[in-house]
């Protein structure tokens, strides 16, 4: 074995150690939430901490969907989360869909036609530089006037608006990666400008749109402040309800963690489904032409 | 199969004039080049002819029909892009078939035409290959096939060979010329490579900064340039320019500072055409003779700065009164840097340029 090979092997090893360290850092909270979600009441806050629960306390999961009581040393009512999962799904999917569709149209306008001038994209993004609370309160007042407070459609509109700058920016950058010549070539062959956008460029940025959609979905799914401000009881999203696990009889760490695990599942599922596109979308610049 | 006429064609991007009142007639079935450095407006001109960019003012005629307001597909033009613009998500066949499908041809017709053009360009073997697995020359052929298959009456080529290496470029150049002769389309070829333009074109339009400097046959562009820009842009190594003053002594002299040369045969033309006595002498490297000894009373002494043998000939850099004068000489003539030598201009082939207007008067 030559010296060079040894050096390479050492580098590979060092690389793996770094990757494992990084993974441990990212994965530990998820492991901890998973572990806690399966702990019985007595194990939630013990010291020294328990990493692997003795008995898998499935009742944590059952209780949050039945809204039942949790027995043991004390009895506490566990909130029923079924509705909040559905509400979150409606608002996040709705908000993401509108944000992506409108963002796509805006992105074509910006990337291909320079609509709004040179500084428009920056201007668009600057809308997101202020803390969200600055917009949330006026939005609540507006919503109460037109009757959108505590409605799905109200939250969907808010989510679409708040994520629109991101989706526009991201999709515009993906469009700019596709050479304009492709559209021109199709135009010489007889396509209209609109057709060249949707039949030539759009199929080539599918990966980018998938990546953007995932990003926007995560933002919406985990959004707390707007949901807290604009809804109270008819609509209740997961992040708002997770907070509701502080009860008079203490904090219900087990069911709360179980709820947390449930909240992560759609994100993981979504990522897996679009994984193929995601890798392409997130490394777009690297594999261009 | 189409004669193209551009009349006072102009394109402005904000304050920049990309194409400045260009008037040009391209004969039916001719192959012409738009030649110039990057940013000279040649691609913009091409895009205006294709209909992808609308002119600020001016008119474009195809066979006496005004096409300004026609969309690209209504002009029946074919455009090959510098970076080929092949759809990366389609194989060669689908790329070539793209335009035919849009035009609504039946499946059999599409197949027949694609195979025909693939035969013509020798790419039948790669019809199932995806673009990312093609070589540059294959991509180039596919791009050309995709354009030819729709049988456009005008073929526009935007630096189609610039991505290829030198050997391949020479081969594709010959191939293009053969194709053009076979198909007989009007071809407009955009390039910044003067050798390519000279080799391929019936006529060359030399442009700089949006202005057409000369539109002529390759021979005329080389031998009778009309402006200093054309004189300097065409030819390799480029033409030497030496600033001098015209004096009416001994029947007419050019004063180079360190030497004077007799130009009595051009005296009348210089007096008539030049705005002042301040002129520039232009002379190509191959039109200068060099020797170790004085050849005649017109010989001028120079100092050799560099000697570069290039196989069949040598390029010699010399210094004449602070000005670099480049000479090509037979390889049998050898000098070394620092040597003294004598040069003599071939007076039949010199050019005299009005320094103020940059017009070549001789």
């Amino acid at each position: 074995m030559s010296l060079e090979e040894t050096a390479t092997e050492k580098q590979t090893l060092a690389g793996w150690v770094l990757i494992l360290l990084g993974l441990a850092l990212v994965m530990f909270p998820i492991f901890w939430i998973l572990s806690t979600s399966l702990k019985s009441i007595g194990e939630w806050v013990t010291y020294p901490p328990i990493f692997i629960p003795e008995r898998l306390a499935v009742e944590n999961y059952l209780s949050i969907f039945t809204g039942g009581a949790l027995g043991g040393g004390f009895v506490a009512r566990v909130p029923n989360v079924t509705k909040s999962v559905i509400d979150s799904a409606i608002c996040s999917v709705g908000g993401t869909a509108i944000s992506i569709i409108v963002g796509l149209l805006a992105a074509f306008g910006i990337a291909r036609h320079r609509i709004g001038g040179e500084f428009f994209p920056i201007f668009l993004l600057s809308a997101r530089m202020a803390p969200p609370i600055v917009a949330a309160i006026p939005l609540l007042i507006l919503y109460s006037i037109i009757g959108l407070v505590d409605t799905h459609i109200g939250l969907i509109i808010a989510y679409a608006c708040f994520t629109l700058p991101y989706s526009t920016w991201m999709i515009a950058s993906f469009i700019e990666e596709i050479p304009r010549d492709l559209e021109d070539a199709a135009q010489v062959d007889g396509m209209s400008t609109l057709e060249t956008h949707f039949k030539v460029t759009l199929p080539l940025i599918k990966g980018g749109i998938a990546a953007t959609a995932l990003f926007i979905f995560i933002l919406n799914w985990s959004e707390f402040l707007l949901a807290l401000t604009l809804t109270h009881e008819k609509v209740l999203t997961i992040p708002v309800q997770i907070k509701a696990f502080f009860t008079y009889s203490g904090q219900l760490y087990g069911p709360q963690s179980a709820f947390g695990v449930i909240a992560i599942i759609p994100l993981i599922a979504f990522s897996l489904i679009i994984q193929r596109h995601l890798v392409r979308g997130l490394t777009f610049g690297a594999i261009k032409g | 199969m189409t004669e193209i006429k551009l009349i006072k064609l102009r394109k402005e991007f904000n304050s920049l004039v990309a194409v400045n009142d260009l008037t040009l007639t391209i004969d039916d079935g001719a192959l012409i080049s738009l030649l110039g450095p990057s940013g000279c407006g040649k691609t913009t001109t091409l895009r205006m002819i294709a209909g992808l960019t609308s002119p600020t003012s001016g008119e474009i005629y195809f066979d006496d029909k005004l096409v300004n307001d026609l969309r690209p597909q209504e002009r029946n033009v074919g455009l090959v892009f510098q970076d080929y613009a092949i759809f990366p998500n389609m194989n060669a066949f689908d790329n070539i078939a793209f335009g035919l499908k849009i035009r609504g041809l039946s499946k059999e017709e599409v197949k027949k035409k694609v195979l025909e053009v693939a035969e013509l360009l020798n790419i039948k073997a790669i019809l199932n290959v995806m673009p990312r697995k093609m070589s540059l020359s294959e991509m180039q052929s596919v791009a050309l096939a995709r354009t030819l298959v729709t049988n456009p009456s005008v073929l526009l080529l935007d630096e189609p060979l610039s991505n290829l290496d030198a050997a391949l470029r020479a081969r594709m150049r010959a191939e293009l010329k053969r194709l053009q002769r076979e198909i007989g389309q009007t071809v407009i070829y955009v390039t910044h490579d003067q050798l390519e333009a000279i080799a391929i074109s019936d006529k060359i339009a030399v442009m700089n900064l949006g202005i057409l400097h000369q539109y002529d046959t390759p021979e005329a562009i080389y031998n009778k340039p009309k402006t200093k820009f054309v004189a300097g842009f065409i030819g390799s190594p480029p033409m030497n320019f030496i600033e001098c003053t015209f004096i009416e002594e001994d029947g007419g002299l050019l004063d180079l500072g360190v030497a004077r040369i007799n130009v009595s045969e051009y005296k009348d033309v210089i007096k008539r055409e030049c705005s002042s006595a301040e002129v520039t002498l232009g002379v190509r490297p191959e039109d200068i003779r060099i020797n170790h000894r004085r050849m005649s009373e017109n010989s001028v002494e120079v100092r050799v700065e560099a000697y570069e043998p290039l196989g069949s000939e040598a390029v010699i850099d010399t210094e004449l009164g602070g000005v670099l004068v480049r000479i090509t000489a037979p390889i049998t003539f050898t000098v070394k840097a620092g040597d003294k030598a004598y040069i003599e201009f071939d007076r039949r082939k010199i050019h005299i340029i009005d320094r103020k207007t940059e017009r070549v008067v001789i």
Side-chain angles (χ1 to χ4, degrees):
Chain A
M1 189 185 289
S2 74
L3 270 173
E4 217 171 287
E5 274 172 295
T6 328
T8 322
E9 255 177 36
K10 264 185 197 157
Q11 275 175 3
T12 321
L13 192 71
W16 277 108
V17 170
L18 274 178
I19 287 173
L20 284 177
L21 265 173
L23 264 180
L25 211 64
V26 174
M27 294 303 289
F28 184 75
I30 294 172
F31 161 75
W32 190 248
I33 219 179
L34 190 66
S35 151
T36 308
S37 76
L38 290 166
K39 285 176 192 167
S40 313
I41 290 181
E43 299 174 326
W44 292 348
V45 284
T46 51
Y47 187 84
I50 295 166
F51 286 91
I52 310 286
E54 267 175 41
R55 181 184 69 85
L56 296 185
V58 194
E59 66 265 26
N60 287 337
Y61 284 89
L62 295 179
S63 68
I64 57 172
F65 284 107
T66 55
L70 202 61
F74 68 103
V75 176
R77 263 199 67 75
V78 177
N80 187 333
V81 303
T82 319
K83 187 177 150 33
S84 71
V85 172
I86 294 169
D87 282 352
S88 260
I90 293 172
C91 296
S92 304
V93 171
T96 306
I98 295 177
S99 176
I100 293 291
I101 292 167
V102 178
L104 178 71
L105 297 174
F108 270 118
I110 288 169
R112 288 296 193 238
H113 304 283
R114 301 277 153 228
I115 301 290
E118 204 181 329
F119 296 107
F120 184 64
I122 302 281
F123 171 71
L124 195 65
L125 202 62
S126 70
R128 299 295 295 113
M129 287 174 188
I133 191 75
V134 171
I137 304 298
L139 206 55
L140 174 64
I141 297 167
L142 277 175
Y143 271 24
S144 61
I145 295 170
I146 56 175
L148 282 177
V149 177
D150 209 13
T151 60
H152 286 120
I153 189 72
L155 204 54
I156 287 174
I157 290 172
Y159 282 178
C161 293
F162 272 71
T163 56
L164 191 60
Y166 299 130
S167 58
T168 307
W169 258 76
M170 283 179 77
I171 298 175
S173 71
F174 287 120
I175 293 173
E176 270 163 8
E177 300 251 358
I178 306 294
R180 221 196 171 107
D181 285 353
L182 293 181
E183 290 190 3
D184 287 343
Q187 209 177 343
V188 173
D189 271 332
M191 277 192 175
S192 69
T193 312
L194 213 59
E195 277 178 312
T196 64
H197 292 344
F198 291 105
K199 290 187 181 166
V200 176
T201 303
L202 187 59
L204 295 172
I205 55 165
K206 275 190 298 196
I209 290 180
T212 311
L214 177 67
F215 176 66
I216 302 292
F217 182 76
I218 291 172
L219 285 183
N220 288 342
W221 186 256
S222 55
E223 201 288 325
F224 176 67
L225 187 75
L226 285 172
L228 183 73
T229 318
L230 300 178
T231 60
H232 349 84
E233 55 177 334
K234 281 190 220 132
V235 177
L236 185 63
T237 63
I238 293 171
V240 176
Q241 200 179 19
I242 281 196
K243 194 182 65 92
F245 279 72
F246 293 97
T247 65
Y248 293 114
S249 38
Q251 184 148 6
L252 305 171
Y253 288 113
Q256 194 177 25
S257 300
F259 192 24
V261 172
I262 299 288
I264 296 172
I265 288 172
L267 300 182
I268 295 175
F270 194 17
S271 316
L272 286 178
I273 294 168
I274 64 165
Q275 191 186 29
R276 201 169 54 87
H277 298 295
L278 200 61
V279 174
R280 207 178 131 61
L282 297 176
T283 59
F284 213 78
I287 53 170
K288 190 183 71 165
Chain B
M1 289 157 268
T2 303
E3 182 199 59
I4 300 167
K5 239 187 259 152
L6 312 177
I7 295 168
K8 296 200 104 164
L9 195 61
R10 186 181 187 85
K11 180 66 191 178
E12 291 168 18
F13 295 108
N14 299 324
S15 61
L16 178 89
V17 183
V19 177
N20 195 344
D21 294 345
L22 175 67
T23 299
L24 197 67
T25 303
I26 298 150
D27 295 334
D28 175 20
L31 194 165
I32 75 126
S33 292
L34 297 180
L35 175 66
S38 46
C40 74
K42 53 194 193 300
T43 296
T44 308
T45 306
L46 198 73
R47 290 177 62 90
M48 285 194 283
I49 296 172
L52 290 169
T53 302
S54 51
T56 307
S57 65
E59 288 151 3
I60 305 169
Y61 290 94
F62 283 14
D63 282 338
D64 297 321
K65 183 175 161 217
L66 186 68
V67 297
N68 277 37
D69 297 327
L70 293 187
R71 292 188 299 157
Q73 66 267 36
E74 295 166 327
R75 300 187 185 192
N76 195 20
V77 295
L79 178 53
V80 177
F81 293 83
Q82 181 170 9
D83 296 316
Y84 312 140
I86 293 177
F87 305 118
N89 50 343
M90 299 178 196
N91 65 17
F93 184 95
D94 289 334
N95 260 292
I96 299 170
F98 186 82
L100 298 176
K101 284 182 186 159
I102 292 179
R103 285 169 175 78
L105 269 68
S106 74
K107 242 182 169 164
E108 292 75 49
E109 275 178 293
V110 169
K111 195 168 174 196
K112 190 174 142 252
K113 289 204 167 189
V114 172
L115 288 177
E116 252 173 44
V117 79
E119 179 87 43
L120 184 72
L121 287 165
N122 263 326
I123 48 169
K124 264 184 138 165
I126 58 159
L127 283 178
N128 289 319
V129 177
M130 294 300 283
R132 74 187 117 83
K133 292 197 174 141
M134 290 180 196
S135 69
L136 278 176
S137 63
E138 283 168 346
M139 286 171 84
Q140 210 272 336
S141 297
V142 171
L144 196 58
R146 188 182 66 185
T147 308
L148 289 177
V149 78
T150 58
N151 196 23
S153 57
V154 178
L155 186 57
L156 309 170
L157 303 163
D158 189 0
E159 310 225 6
L161 307 182
S162 62
N163 290 337
L164 307 179
D165 61 49
L168 206 53
R169 199 149 47 192
R171 219 187 72 206
M172 292 304 280
R173 205 156 62 196
E175 188 81 343
L176 270 179
K177 196 149 191 179
R178 173 185 72 85
L179 267 176
Q180 198 258 341
R181 247 182 273 119
E182 238 164 76
I183 305 169
Q185 282 152 325
T186 308
V187 178
I188 303 177
Y189 190 97
V190 161
T191 182
H192 65 267
D193 182 340
Q194 42 143 332
L195 291 177
E196 210 166 278
I198 289 172
I200 208 171
S201 325
D202 297 325
K203 270 181 161 186
I204 300 174
V206 185
M207 294 176 73
N208 188 35
L209 302 172
I211 294 168
L212 176 67
H213 277 251
Q214 191 168 357
Y215 178 49
D216 228 324
T217 60
E219 295 73 36
I221 296 267
Y222 190 82
N223 295 320
K224 294 195 179 74
K226 283 193 179 140
T227 67
K228 187 181 176 198
F229 174 78
V230 177
F233 191 72
I234 309 284
S236 171
M239 187 183 281
N240 296 296
F241 292 119
I242 305 158
E243 298 196 346
C244 49
T245 315
F246 175 69
I247 24 183
E248 286 184 66
E249 283 171 27
D250 297 345
L253 293 172
L254 285 183
D255 184 6
L256 309 185
V258 290
R260 290 179 168 193
I261 55 170
N262 190 308
V263 286
S264 49
E265 64 267 51
Y266 300 127
K267 180 185 166 199
D268 294 337
V269 188
I270 295 172
K271 276 178 74 178
R272 194 174 62 235
E273 302 279 335
C274 286
S275 55
S276 73
E278 302 296 305
V279 294
T280 300
L281 173 67
V283 54
R284 293 198 185 277
E286 64 268 29
D287 297 334
I288 306 174
R289 283 196 300 142
I290 184 163
N291 211 324
H292 296 292
R293 283 169 290 104
R294 198 176 276 280
M295 293 164 275
S296 70
E297 71 275 15
N298 273 325
S299 291
V300 179
E301 189 186 309
V302 292
R303 212 169 60 86
V304 175
E305 301 258 307
Y307 178 80
E308 191 185 357
L310 293 174
S312 63
E313 56 181 25
V315 175
I316 303 161
D317 288 356
T318 64
E319 191 243 54
L320 169 68
V323 183
L324 172 79
V325 177
R326 198 167 268 169
I327 301 150
T328 50
I331 194 74
T332 47
F333 180 82
T334 54
V335 280
K336 55 182 191 302
D339 282 359
K340 225 196 279 173
Y342 293 90
I343 61 170
E344 211 168 83
F345 304 113
D346 182 343
R347 270 161 57 187
R348 287 162 304 156
K349 293 193 175 160
I350 60 170
H351 298 281
I352 291 164
I353 301 155
D354 185 331
R355 213 182 301 167
K356 203 151 69 191
T357 61
E358 302 220 321
R359 214 164 57 82
V360 179
V361 297
I362 290 160

